[in-house]
Amino acid sequence: MNNISQFSPWARQILNWIVTVGSVMLCLLVLPTRLPGMELLEIAPNWLLIWVVAWSLKRTVLQGALAGLVLGLIQDGMTSPDPTHVLSLVLVGMLTARIQKQRYIQEDFISVALIVFGMAVVGETVTAIQYSFMGDRNLAEIWTDHQRIALSSAILSSLWAPVLYYPLNRWWEHINVIEPS
């Protein structure tokens, strides 16, 4: 990583974009994948939510919201837009950026896992509310499923969050040391 400082500023910026977009692409590829040990009650980790949390932890509310908007639109394009993933990911991006982690919470795997756990519950709750407004399913069934889905998603996403967060955070910190914005 020390060799990166030898590149010109525009080359470092392009490399940073390649790493950032590449990590999003990796999350998009892993999202529909069901590998052994990555499912709990037929629910997999929410990789895009993990990425939005990792991105938003040290960014502004607007940057977190924009990341949630873009990834939500991409996920809606990959799956069904009803209910939309945009609302939950934008809310997660905004709330995560508002936490101001560096001021209140120590930098470690446990705090990131706890933030992802909470944000996964928030995201799944937004989705359940959208299902409730759609009116094509019984409310009792929606909220019973919500409990199972939210808890499974939160547990798995929080357990896998450090796998994505740690290398991305190290990369972004290294880039910021070389080229403070």
Side-chain angles (χ1 to χ4, degrees):
M1 275 211 244
N2 294 334
N3 297 340
I4 296 169
S5 59
Q6 296 173 358
F7 294 132
S8 66
W10 65 270
R12 283 193 303 264
Q13 190 68 20
I14 289 172
L15 185 59
N16 186 36
W17 276 101
I18 289 170
V19 168
T20 302
V21 171
S23 66
V24 169
M25 297 303 285
L26 181 66
C27 287
L28 289 169
L29 289 172
V30 175
L31 193 63
T33 307
R34 299 292 192 246
L35 298 173
M38 290 183 73
E39 277 188 324
L40 181 63
L41 301 174
E42 299 179 4
I43 305 296
N46 190 337
W47 291 102
L48 295 181
L49 181 133
I50 296 169
W51 195 95
V52 169
V53 168
W55 172 265
S56 302
L57 276 171
K58 295 184 180 175
R59 303 238 172 17
T60 65
V61 172
L62 179 61
Q63 290 171 324
L66 285 174
L69 174 70
V70 170
L71 294 186
L73 289 171
I74 292 170
Q75 189 172 5
D76 283 351
M78 289 177 60
T79 62
S80 172
D82 292 323
T84 183
H85 298 91
V86 172
L87 294 177
S88 60
L89 290 177
V90 166
L91 183 61
V92 164
M94 291 171 60
L95 290 175
T96 302
R98 293 277 302 158
I99 289 175
Q100 297 181 353
K101 182 179 175 299
Q102 54 273 30
R103 184 186 286 173
Y104 300 114
I105 302 173
Q106 291 293 324
E107 178 75 27
D108 63 352
F109 292 142
I110 295 171
S111 63
V112 171
L114 288 173
I115 292 168
V116 168
F117 187 94
M119 293 303 154
V121 171
V122 167
E124 295 300 339
T125 302
V126 169
T127 301
I129 290 170
Q130 290 181 69
Y131 275 121
S132 298
F133 285 137
M134 290 169 61
D136 58 347
R137 290 177 48 198
N138 181 352
L139 283 178
E141 179 184 323
I142 292 170
W143 291 101
T144 301
D145 287 345
H146 168 263
Q147 293 173 13
R148 178 183 58 83
I149 293 168
L151 190 57
S152 299
S153 176
I155 290 169
L156 284 173
S157 297
S158 64
L159 288 174
W160 283 98
V163 171
L164 184 64
Y165 172 78
Y166 183 73
L168 283 176
N169 187 51
R170 291 246 334 179
W171 171 259
W172 290 327
E173 283 180 352
H174 188 69
I175 289 295
N176 285 339
V177 167
I178 294 172
E179 200 169 322
S181 43

